[in-house]
Amino acid sequence: MKFLHNLTITDYQDATIHPDDRGYYFGDGIYEVFRIYNGRLFQEDAHLVRLARSAAELRIPLPYGLPEITGLMYKLLEEDPVEEGILYLQITRGAAPRGHAFPPEGTQPVLTAYCKPLPRNRDKITGGIRIVSVPDIRWLRCDIKTLNLLGNVLAKQEAVERGADEAVLHRSGTVTECSSSNIMMVKDGTLWTHPADNLILPGITRQVVLEQARTVGIPVQEAVFSLEELYSADEVLITGTTTEVTPVILIDETPIAGGQPGPITRQLQREYQTLFM
Ligand code: PDD
């Protein structure tokens, strides 16, 4: 396994990170998870656009231009080939003595990345998952893909402890997204999902699935819905880089679509898989 640290690629076990890195002190950084299919990055342009937006919103200067970052990622993949996996990339505001305000101008942001094999979760993608509802206690800029993920971490841990695969988050009963994926429901043939505002991460998979749904004539509503509406949905699915389109068959104690993946979910899965299979 290899490790990219700014412009240098080393063996993973030789990686060194400064103890004053603001990623450690404050979670002061951003990240992206890219899927690798057939040895190539999937949807890399969309991920890089989102990376640049996250950086701009947090006023973290990008250390390199996007074409240069793409080049670095492919160099990493060339030195550490992965057929089916992920590339994790993060950029922190850099290393400086601890202080909440931004570090002195000229502090070098720290870009790190690595690739690792990660097989598609074929069992869950086929058979579906169980999720549990958890209050959404995160901050009000969930649209930024920051390293600060404590609300997500606590929610996922609660899901694990309750024997579920994922946590669906709600603000006073309004469904937002999941701890590391977006959520959609099908009701009377229409696909519903939370609008891409400050309360959710605008998922790349979400965007692709919504576009494909519109193309094949499935009506789409980017509008809020409640946990009660989710319980009584015809179908529920989550979307994400690693989860792709995964059916939800149980929410808390309520079976969805009779505890089986539904037909529109299956159709969306087939459409999505045409992009890399
Ligand atoms: N998670 N919402 C949240 C909170 C997420 O963390 C993610 C992705 C998504 C889906 O976004 P995308 O389709 O762009 O992957 C939605 C990544 C995979 C992670 O943190 O590991």
PDB file of all heavy atoms in Angstrom, residues 13 72-73 89 116 118 144 146 170 173 175 179 181 231 252 259 263:
ATOM      1  N   GLN A  13       3.406   2.413   5.374  1.00  0.00           N
ATOM      2  CA  GLN A  13       3.904   2.304   6.760  1.00  0.00           C
ATOM      3  C   GLN A  13       4.952   3.365   7.083  1.00  0.00           C
ATOM      4  O   GLN A  13       5.269   3.577   8.248  1.00  0.00           O
ATOM      5  CB  GLN A  13       4.437   0.888   7.073  1.00  0.00           C
ATOM      6  CG  GLN A  13       5.611   0.452   6.240  1.00  0.00           C
ATOM      7  CD  GLN A  13       5.152  -0.338   5.002  1.00  0.00           C
ATOM      8  OE1 GLN A  13       4.034  -0.154   4.515  1.00  0.00           O
ATOM      9  NE2 GLN A  13       6.002  -1.209   4.496  1.00  0.00           N
ATOM     10  N   LEU A  72      -2.042  13.540  -9.717  1.00  0.00           N
ATOM     11  CA  LEU A  72      -1.461  12.904  -8.521  1.00  0.00           C
ATOM     12  C   LEU A  72      -2.214  11.624  -8.165  1.00  0.00           C
ATOM     13  O   LEU A  72      -1.614  10.610  -7.802  1.00  0.00           O
ATOM     14  CB  LEU A  72      -1.502  13.869  -7.337  1.00  0.00           C
ATOM     15  CG  LEU A  72      -0.518  15.046  -7.388  1.00  0.00           C
ATOM     16  CD1 LEU A  72      -0.845  16.072  -6.299  1.00  0.00           C
ATOM     17  CD2 LEU A  72       0.922  14.548  -7.226  1.00  0.00           C
ATOM     18  N   MET A  73      -3.537  11.676  -8.302  1.00  0.00           N
ATOM     19  CA  MET A  73      -4.335  10.491  -7.953  1.00  0.00           C
ATOM     20  C   MET A  73      -4.024   9.345  -8.911  1.00  0.00           C
ATOM     21  O   MET A  73      -3.896   8.195  -8.494  1.00  0.00           O
ATOM     22  CB  MET A  73      -5.829  10.828  -7.976  1.00  0.00           C
ATOM     23  CG  MET A  73      -6.234  11.759  -6.845  1.00  0.00           C
ATOM     24  SD  MET A  73      -8.018  11.823  -6.608  1.00  0.00           S
ATOM     25  CE  MET A  73      -8.543  12.543  -8.145  1.00  0.00           C
ATOM     26  N   LEU A  89      -8.991  10.748  -0.231  1.00  0.00           N
ATOM     27  CA  LEU A  89      -8.138  11.934  -0.354  1.00  0.00           C
ATOM     28  C   LEU A  89      -8.604  12.974   0.663  1.00  0.00           C
ATOM     29  O   LEU A  89      -9.811  13.208   0.798  1.00  0.00           O
ATOM     30  CB  LEU A  89      -8.238  12.493  -1.775  1.00  0.00           C
ATOM     31  CG  LEU A  89      -7.422  13.742  -2.080  1.00  0.00           C
ATOM     32  CD1 LEU A  89      -6.860  13.667  -3.498  1.00  0.00           C
ATOM     33  CD2 LEU A  89      -8.271  15.006  -1.958  1.00  0.00           C
ATOM     34  N   LYS A 116      -7.148   1.718  -1.627  1.00  0.00           N
ATOM     35  CA  LYS A 116      -7.202   0.372  -1.018  1.00  0.00           C
ATOM     36  C   LYS A 116      -8.310  -0.441  -1.667  1.00  0.00           C
ATOM     37  O   LYS A 116      -9.338   0.109  -2.086  1.00  0.00           O
ATOM     38  CB  LYS A 116      -7.349   0.438   0.495  1.00  0.00           C
ATOM     39  CG  LYS A 116      -8.689   0.826   0.982  1.00  0.00           C
ATOM     40  CD  LYS A 116      -8.802   0.541   2.477  1.00  0.00           C
ATOM     41  CE  LYS A 116     -10.268   0.716   2.897  1.00  0.00           C
ATOM     42  NZ  LYS A 116     -10.480   0.776   4.309  1.00  0.00           N
ATOM     43  N   LEU A 118     -11.555  -2.537  -2.066  1.00  0.00           N
ATOM     44  CA  LEU A 118     -12.825  -2.654  -1.334  1.00  0.00           C
ATOM     45  C   LEU A 118     -13.834  -3.275  -2.287  1.00  0.00           C
ATOM     46  O   LEU A 118     -14.318  -2.610  -3.206  1.00  0.00           O
ATOM     47  CB  LEU A 118     -13.316  -1.273  -0.855  1.00  0.00           C
ATOM     48  CG  LEU A 118     -14.613  -1.306  -0.053  1.00  0.00           C
ATOM     49  CD1 LEU A 118     -14.407  -1.880   1.340  1.00  0.00           C
ATOM     50  CD2 LEU A 118     -15.236   0.087   0.044  1.00  0.00           C
ATOM     51  N   ILE A 144     -20.939  20.638   3.440  1.00  0.00           N
ATOM     52  CA  ILE A 144     -19.486  20.674   3.272  1.00  0.00           C
ATOM     53  C   ILE A 144     -18.930  19.317   3.696  1.00  0.00           C
ATOM     54  O   ILE A 144     -19.258  18.824   4.784  1.00  0.00           O
ATOM     55  CB  ILE A 144     -18.858  21.795   4.133  1.00  0.00           C
ATOM     56  CG1 ILE A 144     -19.506  23.151   3.804  1.00  0.00           C
ATOM     57  CG2 ILE A 144     -17.351  21.847   3.932  1.00  0.00           C
ATOM     58  CD1 ILE A 144     -19.061  24.271   4.739  1.00  0.00           C
ATOM     59  N   THR A 146     -16.547  17.874   5.332  1.00  0.00           N
ATOM     60  CA  THR A 146     -15.443  18.133   6.254  1.00  0.00           C
ATOM     61  C   THR A 146     -15.065  16.874   7.032  1.00  0.00           C
ATOM     62  O   THR A 146     -15.854  15.940   7.137  1.00  0.00           O
ATOM     63  CB  THR A 146     -15.759  19.253   7.269  1.00  0.00           C
ATOM     64  OG1 THR A 146     -15.849  18.684   8.571  1.00  0.00           O
ATOM     65  CG2 THR A 146     -17.053  19.925   6.985  1.00  0.00           C
ATOM     66  N   HIS A 170     -32.846  12.372  11.340  1.00  0.00           N
ATOM     67  CA  HIS A 170     -34.006  13.258  11.185  1.00  0.00           C
ATOM     68  C   HIS A 170     -33.879  14.448  12.116  1.00  0.00           C
ATOM     69  O   HIS A 170     -33.368  14.324  13.229  1.00  0.00           O
ATOM     70  CB  HIS A 170     -35.315  12.500  11.446  1.00  0.00           C
ATOM     71  CG  HIS A 170     -35.435  12.000  12.852  1.00  0.00           C
ATOM     72  ND1 HIS A 170     -36.031  12.725  13.849  1.00  0.00           N
ATOM     73  CD2 HIS A 170     -34.998  10.852  13.436  1.00  0.00           C
ATOM     74  CE1 HIS A 170     -35.971  12.050  14.988  1.00  0.00           C
ATOM     75  NE2 HIS A 170     -35.345  10.912  14.757  1.00  0.00           N
ATOM     76  N   GLY A 173     -38.169  14.978  13.206  1.00  0.00           N
ATOM     77  CA  GLY A 173     -39.086  14.162  12.405  1.00  0.00           C
ATOM     78  C   GLY A 173     -38.936  14.341  10.911  1.00  0.00           C
ATOM     79  O   GLY A 173     -39.501  13.567  10.142  1.00  0.00           O
ATOM     80  N   VAL A 175     -36.783  13.846   7.685  1.00  0.00           N
ATOM     81  CA  VAL A 175     -35.657  13.000   7.281  1.00  0.00           C
ATOM     82  C   VAL A 175     -34.652  13.831   6.476  1.00  0.00           C
ATOM     83  O   VAL A 175     -35.043  14.530   5.533  1.00  0.00           O
ATOM     84  CB  VAL A 175     -36.167  11.815   6.427  1.00  0.00           C
ATOM     85  CG1 VAL A 175     -35.004  11.020   5.850  1.00  0.00           C
ATOM     86  CG2 VAL A 175     -37.086  10.926   7.252  1.00  0.00           C
ATOM     87  N   SER A 179     -26.006   8.411   7.914  1.00  0.00           N
ATOM     88  CA  SER A 179     -24.733   8.811   8.531  1.00  0.00           C
ATOM     89  C   SER A 179     -23.605   8.865   7.511  1.00  0.00           C
ATOM     90  O   SER A 179     -22.689   9.672   7.648  1.00  0.00           O
ATOM     91  CB  SER A 179     -24.386   7.884   9.691  1.00  0.00           C
ATOM     92  OG  SER A 179     -23.916   6.644   9.229  1.00  0.00           O
ATOM     93  N   SER A 181     -24.499   8.181   3.852  1.00  0.00           N
ATOM     94  CA  SER A 181     -25.154   7.980   2.555  1.00  0.00           C
ATOM     95  C   SER A 181     -26.382   8.880   2.488  1.00  0.00           C
ATOM     96  O   SER A 181     -26.827   9.411   3.512  1.00  0.00           O
ATOM     97  CB  SER A 181     -25.561   6.510   2.381  1.00  0.00           C
ATOM     98  OG  SER A 181     -26.284   6.055   3.500  1.00  0.00           O
ATOM     99  N   TYR A 231     -41.652   5.539   6.846  1.00  0.00           N
ATOM    100  CA  TYR A 231     -42.130   4.219   7.300  1.00  0.00           C
ATOM    101  C   TYR A 231     -43.166   3.654   6.338  1.00  0.00           C
ATOM    102  O   TYR A 231     -43.256   2.445   6.151  1.00  0.00           O
ATOM    103  CB  TYR A 231     -42.785   4.312   8.682  1.00  0.00           C
ATOM    104  CG  TYR A 231     -41.843   4.519   9.856  1.00  0.00           C
ATOM    105  CD1 TYR A 231     -42.148   5.459  10.845  1.00  0.00           C
ATOM    106  CD2 TYR A 231     -40.693   3.748  10.012  1.00  0.00           C
ATOM    107  CE1 TYR A 231     -41.329   5.639  11.947  1.00  0.00           C
ATOM    108  CE2 TYR A 231     -39.861   3.930  11.112  1.00  0.00           C
ATOM    109  CZ  TYR A 231     -40.187   4.883  12.075  1.00  0.00           C
ATOM    110  OH  TYR A 231     -39.374   5.054  13.160  1.00  0.00           O
ATOM    111  N   ASP A 252     -36.189   0.781  11.687  1.00  0.00           N
ATOM    112  CA  ASP A 252     -36.557   0.485  13.083  1.00  0.00           C
ATOM    113  C   ASP A 252     -37.252  -0.888  13.074  1.00  0.00           C
ATOM    114  O   ASP A 252     -36.650  -1.837  12.637  1.00  0.00           O
ATOM    115  CB  ASP A 252     -37.383   1.629  13.682  1.00  0.00           C
ATOM    116  CG  ASP A 252     -36.541   2.930  13.757  1.00  0.00           C
ATOM    117  OD1 ASP A 252     -35.323   2.835  13.982  1.00  0.00           O
ATOM    118  OD2 ASP A 252     -37.106   4.022  13.581  1.00  0.00           O
ATOM    119  N   GLY A 259     -40.499  -6.147   3.131  1.00  0.00           N
ATOM    120  CA  GLY A 259     -39.185  -6.700   3.502  1.00  0.00           C
ATOM    121  C   GLY A 259     -38.367  -7.185   2.318  1.00  0.00           C
ATOM    122  O   GLY A 259     -37.418  -7.941   2.493  1.00  0.00           O
ATOM    123  N   PRO A 263     -39.327  -2.845  -7.067  1.00  0.00           N
ATOM    124  CA  PRO A 263     -39.032  -2.825  -8.509  1.00  0.00           C
ATOM    125  C   PRO A 263     -38.336  -1.546  -8.989  1.00  0.00           C
ATOM    126  O   PRO A 263     -37.465  -1.619  -9.863  1.00  0.00           O
ATOM    127  CB  PRO A 263     -40.413  -2.964  -9.165  1.00  0.00           C
ATOM    128  CG  PRO A 263     -41.410  -2.616  -8.108  1.00  0.00           C
ATOM    129  CD  PRO A 263     -40.778  -2.959  -6.793  1.00  0.00           C
TER     130      PRO A 263
END
